[in-house]
Amino acid sequence: MAGLYCSYNSLSSPFILQRLHGPRCSSTTPDNNHTKTKTKTPQILKLTVSGVTELLRLFSSHQTRLERESDKEREEIAVSGIDDVVIILKSDYENAYFVTGVFTSAIYAEDCIFEDPTIRFRGKELYSRNLKLLVPFFDCPSIGLQKIKKEIRDLLVELLVDYAVWTYLKLPWRPLICIDGSTIYELDDWFKIVRHAESWNVSALEAIGQIFTPSFGRPNN
């Protein structure tokens, strides 16, 4: 992708090193741009994922008072530049927000677009609810931030983030989900994220297939 860019090295904290001590998600290294899914996702798969998400939402429990207060505190955080957004994103990755459901909503626009190879929707409140729907199913989750790169083209500012995530699921056959991914965070003039687009090193079908593949024991720590 043409344009100016600035790379931010990932944190070399004990947390990150610990999180990366897991099975490798791929035998290949993602390219220098950002991870691409291999094939176009079938429409029936997208509809299935959306349907399952809606069912989970119907049966999910409501937020506790402490959760609401914590969300309110994160909503009140102010940012004054791109570097503030980078610092907050690093903190959210350190807190493994993909697998904990805890993220700083203040840096997202209310109507931010969220998409991955299986689903697309609008609204940061819905994104927060969708993340928290999945948390009870995770067993020994880990996520490692690998790189954050800032790119500016045609007055558009994007943050490109590479990460690795793996977790067992609390299902009888205890499948292991293991994905190398990239996320594009597109910012507006007020440094709010207006688009959050994920891509993976595997296709959507391969990712869903991991859910139905039994694991055979834990990796050595």
Side-chain angles (χ1 to χ4, degrees):
M1 183 179 295
L4 302 175
Y5 71 88
C6 175
S7 294
Y8 296 80
N9 291 330
S10 60
L11 302 179
S12 298
S13 66
F15 178 91
I16 293 295
L17 295 177
Q18 176 185 0
R19 290 299 186 183
L20 290 177
H21 286 169
R24 292 184 63 85
C25 295
S26 172
S27 59
T28 60
T29 302
D31 59 36
N32 292 329
N33 295 316
H34 42 276
T35 307
K36 303 286 188 180
T37 48
K38 294 182 178 180
T39 58
K40 186 176 180 180
T41 305
Q43 187 63 26
I44 185 64
L45 181 57
K46 291 183 178 181
L47 292 173
T48 300
V49 171
S50 296
V52 171
T53 302
E54 289 299 325
L55 285 174
L56 288 174
R57 191 178 300 122
L58 287 175
F59 292 102
S60 65
S61 58
H62 296 290
Q63 278 189 312
T64 65
R65 180 177 61 83
L66 289 177
E67 287 175 331
R68 287 194 297 270
E69 290 178 355
S70 179
D71 286 348
K72 184 178 180 181
E73 289 177 359
R74 285 189 293 273
E75 180 66 29
E76 293 173 349
I77 295 174
V79 297
S80 59
I82 298 172
D83 290 342
D84 290 341
V85 178
V86 171
I87 290 171
I88 291 171
L89 280 177
K90 282 185 176 181
S91 176
D92 282 352
Y93 273 92
E94 285 186 11
N95 292 321
Y97 84 95
F98 277 146
V99 292
T100 62
V102 178
F103 72 107
T104 307
S105 59
I107 61 175
Y108 294 83
E110 288 291 343
D111 61 348
C112 178
I113 295 173
F114 296 88
E115 56 186 299
D116 68 25
T118 64
I119 196 170
R120 186 179 190 273
F121 58 89
R122 187 184 293 271
K124 66 179 180 181
E125 182 179 349
L126 181 56
Y127 179 65
S128 177
R129 285 158 51 194
N130 285 352
L131 282 181
K132 290 174 181 177
L133 288 176
L134 299 175
V135 171
F137 294 95
F138 296 144
D139 183 17
C140 302
S142 295
I143 184 169
L145 172 63
Q146 297 173 338
K147 180 178 63 177
I148 296 182
K149 183 174 70 173
K150 178 175 68 177
E151 186 168 288
I152 303 174
R153 57 180 180 85
D154 300 328
L155 302 181
L156 177 68
V157 179
E158 293 180 343
L159 296 175
L160 312 179
V161 178
D162 291 338
Y163 63 89
V165 61
W166 66 275
T167 181
Y168 290 101
L169 297 183
K170 294 178 181 178
L171 296 172
W173 55 97
R174 200 164 176 267
L176 175 64
I177 306 301
C178 190
I179 291 175
D180 290 329
S182 294
T183 302
I184 298 175
Y185 299 88
E186 188 176 303
L187 278 60
D188 64 12
D189 294 339
W190 295 272
F191 309 110
K192 294 282 189 179
I193 297 171
V194 294
R195 180 170 173 260
H196 172 292
E198 296 176 43
S199 58
W200 304 331
N201 68 319
V202 296
S203 69
L205 283 173
E206 289 171 321
I208 297 299
Q210 291 184 12
I211 298 175
F212 300 98
T213 304
S215 64
F216 298 96
R218 295 175 182 267
N220 293 327
N221 294 324

